[in-house]
């Protein structure tokens, strides 16, 4: 669009639906 | 909640609760100053435009329409609804990572060491094979259905007890086969005792190697002293180079600490690059105010400017495909960790524990020596960790830390370091303010870098496509 370029969309909302990660895929 | 900022000529708007990131123009940047009032009905459209006389009505209307569309699509001003998720409310974390303080002794005497030159303020000691084995057994038997388990050899200096390290790695492989677990070992070392045999063992068995060096020779040797008060740079740099050259594609980080004695730390990061290292990190020293090298609030403007300076150069590197990485500028906008992970943070005291050479258990390596946080001893038969302390750490997350609730960085930093909060504010629920300021700046830098890389890639693609059309036309 003219005024806004969206780089990424709501990744958090998607991940909410779905412990193997390291302390601090499809 | 949104956060907008401009850095390196790029205007960015983040949707905090959804994770969307947008690059916006000047009109939209200014419009967003008033949009919250408008969307709540406290400002009508005509009044909104009147507040922005520097922009044309046509531009403002088009910008407003785009913002309204993003809001309707759930890409701006989204609500935080994660606290009610069943998977969050009912989570029962199990231990999945151990820090083994394999040696409470060190062959350097770095001035800023939180481990008090390796012994954590107590007696010098090396972990026995028995304590190490019991620790790995505890991890295997108490990690529930988790398959991936981590063990970090830490200290003090773990190379001072390397025979035990080697034996534990082999024992971990045995246990992994027996219990269907994948033990992933890492080591954090000052490099002094590295030789060909140790390098080969580390490169074969360690999933990650963290190599401690502070940067330029003068900066490093000012803080990282040998036991004879000499500098350590000339001793360790050749050894780290050899380790990395032989390591292939396996993970490592050259990790430095910066202090107020050398706040121009971007020069040290660039020095790492000049030395040929690719994966780097540089951490601010965390130390009591009375220490002359401790970072103070008055240092913040210079530190934040230094992060920005590094970020501008780093962004150009990324656009040009340079593989060099700086740990705190790495952000995955397309995916990243799930929201549950982001809410709950590092896992200290629940998923992550630290074991001392004597077998004492603490919530993490930063709590070692603080008797109030000793959770038990690994040699105890039928060991049960104190449920009250586990619950305290389990429930210390971004929804129980007042400062985090309104912070734009909350889903990226996950509430910060419990130990820093305790040491500076006496409460693990009150984050360390200077750390928060630096974290927020690093996040702004990280997203700007990724935005610049993505915009450059899109532009290159457009140019290539236009070129293809031109060829087709001819």
């Amino acid at each position: 669009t003219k005024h806004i370029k969206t780089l990424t969309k709501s990744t958090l909302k998607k991940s909410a639906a779905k412990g193997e990660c390291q302390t601090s895929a499809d | 909640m949104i956060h907008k900022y401009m850095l390196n000529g790029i205007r960015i708007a983040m949707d905090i609760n959804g994770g969307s990131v947008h690059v916006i123009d000047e009109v939209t940047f200014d419009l967003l100053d008033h949009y919250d009032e408008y969307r709540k009905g406290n400002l009508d459209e005509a009044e909104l435009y009147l507040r922005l006389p520097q922009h044309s009505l046509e531009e403002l209307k088009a910008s407003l329409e785009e913002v309204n569309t993003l809001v309707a699509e759930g890409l701006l001003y989204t609500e935080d609804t994660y606290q009610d998720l069943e998977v969050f409310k009912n989570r029962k974390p199990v231990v999945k990572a151990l820090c083994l303080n394999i040696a409470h002794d060190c062959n350097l005497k770095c001035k800023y060491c939180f481990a008090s030159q390796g012994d954590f303020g107590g007696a010098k000691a090396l972990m026995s094979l028995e304590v190490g084995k019991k620790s790995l057994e505890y991890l295997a038997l108490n990690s529930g259905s988790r398959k991936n388990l981590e063990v970090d050899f830490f200290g003090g200096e773990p190379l001072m007890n390397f025979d035990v390290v080697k034996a534990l790695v082999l024992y971990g492989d045995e246990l992994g086969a027996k219990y269907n677990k994948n033990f992933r070992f890492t080591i954090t070392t000052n490099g002094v005792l590295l030789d060909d045999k140790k390098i080969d063992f580390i490169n074969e068995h360690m999933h990650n190697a963290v190599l401690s060096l502070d940067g330029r020779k003068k900066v490093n040797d000012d803080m990282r002293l040998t036991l004879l008060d000499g500098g350590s740079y000339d001793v360790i740099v050749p050894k780290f180079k050899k380790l990395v050259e032989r390591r292939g594609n396996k993970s490592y980080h050259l990790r430095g600490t910066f202090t107020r004695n050398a706040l121009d730390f971007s020069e040290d990061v660039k020095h790492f690059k000049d030395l040929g290292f690719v994966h780097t990190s540089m951490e601010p020293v965390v130390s009591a105010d009375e220490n002359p090298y401790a970072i103070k609030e008055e240092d913040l403007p210079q530190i934040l400017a230094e992060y920005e300076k590094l970020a501008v150069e780093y962004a150009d590197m990324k656009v040009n495909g340079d593989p060099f990485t700086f740990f705190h500028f790495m952000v995955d906008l397309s995916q990243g960790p799930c929201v549950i992970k982001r809410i709950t943070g590092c896992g200290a005291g629940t998923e992550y524990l630290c074991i001392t050479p004597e077998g004492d258990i603490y919530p993490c390596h930063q709590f070692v020596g603080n008797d109030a946080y000793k959770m038990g001893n690994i040699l105890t038969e039928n060991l049960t960790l104190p449920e009250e302390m586990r619950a305290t750490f389990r429930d210390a997350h971004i929804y129980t830390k007042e400062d985090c609730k309104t912070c734009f960085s909350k889903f990226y930093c996950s509430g910060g370091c419990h130990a820093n909060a305790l040491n500076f504010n006496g409460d693990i629920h009150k984050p360390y303010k200077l750390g928060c300021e630096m974290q927020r700046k690093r996040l702004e830098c990280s997203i700007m870098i990724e935005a610049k890389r993505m915009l450059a890639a899109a532009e290159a693609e457009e140019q290539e496509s236009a070129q293809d059309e031109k060829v087709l036309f001819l």
Side-chain angles (χ1 to χ4, degrees), chain B residues 419-444:
Chain B
N420 288 351
L422 181 74
N423 291 336
F424 282 88
N425 299 319
D427 183 346
I428 65 171
H429 297 90
K430 292 181 180 170
Y432 165 52
K433 188 182 169 192
L434 296 186
C436 294
E437 294 281 357
M438 289 185 264
Q439 167 63 29
R440 283 192 280 265
K441 178 53 68 182
R442 292 191 301 240
L443 178 61
E444 287 186 339

Side-chain angles (χ1 to χ4, degrees), chain A residues 11-18, chain B residues 82 85 87 338-340:
Chain A
T11 50
L12 300 192
K13 295 286 178 187
K14 275 185 279 184
S15 78
K18 206 180 165 187
Chain B
Y82 310 122
L85 288 172
V87 70
C338 70
V339 74
I340 305 303

Side-chain angles (χ1 to χ4, degrees), chain B residues 308-327:
Chain B
E308 288 194 8
K309 178 183 163 192
L310 182 61
V312 169
E313 294 186 45
Y314 188 88
D316 288 338
M317 287 183 211
K318 291 292 115 180
V319 166
N320 293 320
D322 193 318
F324 184 77
T325 66
F326 178 62
F327 187 78

Side-chain angles (χ1 to χ4, degrees), chain B residues 119-235:
Chain B
D119 59 19
F120 289 82
K124 293 188 184 307
L126 300 179
M127 182 177 284
S128 67
L129 185 57
E130 181 197 13
V131 167
K133 281 185 164 183
K134 285 281 187 190
S135 302
L136 297 188
E137 289 162 9
Y138 180 84
L139 180 58
L141 293 169
N142 290 277
S143 49
S145 60
R146 300 288 177 273
K147 182 171 172 58
N148 295 310
L149 305 177
E150 297 161 64
V151 177
D152 185 31
F153 295 110
F154 201 69
E157 173 48 45
L159 296 188
M160 295 180 80
N161 195 11
F162 201 62
D163 284 344
V164 172
V165 169
K166 289 193 292 187
L168 289 176
V169 167
L170 300 178
Y171 189 58
D173 291 344
E174 270 179 52
L175 284 177
K178 184 175 177 182
Y179 294 107
N180 190 30
K181 301 286 186 182
N182 174 33
F183 277 88
R184 206 158 34 190
F185 294 100
T186 65
I187 192 164
T188 301
T189 178
N190 65 29
V192 172
L193 291 176
L194 281 175
D195 57 27
D196 285 355
K197 281 186 173 177
K198 290 189 181 79
I199 285 173
D200 289 343
F201 187 88
I202 287 169
N203 283 343
E204 182 179 352
H205 294 283
M206 300 295 169
H207 177 76
N208 186 24
V210 178
L211 314 172
S212 301
L213 177 74
D214 282 358
R216 293 162 291 178
K217 178 177 163 65
K218 183 181 182 307
V219 171
N220 181 84
D221 288 353
D222 178 42
M223 299 303 287
R224 301 184 65 81
L225 303 174
T226 66
L227 298 181
L228 298 173
D229 288 329
S232 58
Y233 182 97
D234 290 335
V235 176

Side-chain angles (χ1 to χ4, degrees), chain B residues 29-42:
Chain B
F29 193 85
D30 293 343
L31 186 139
L32 286 175
D33 283 332
H34 310 280
Y35 187 81
D36 206 31
E37 241 183 303
Y38 162 78
R39 78 187 182 101
K40 288 174 178 169
N42 298 325

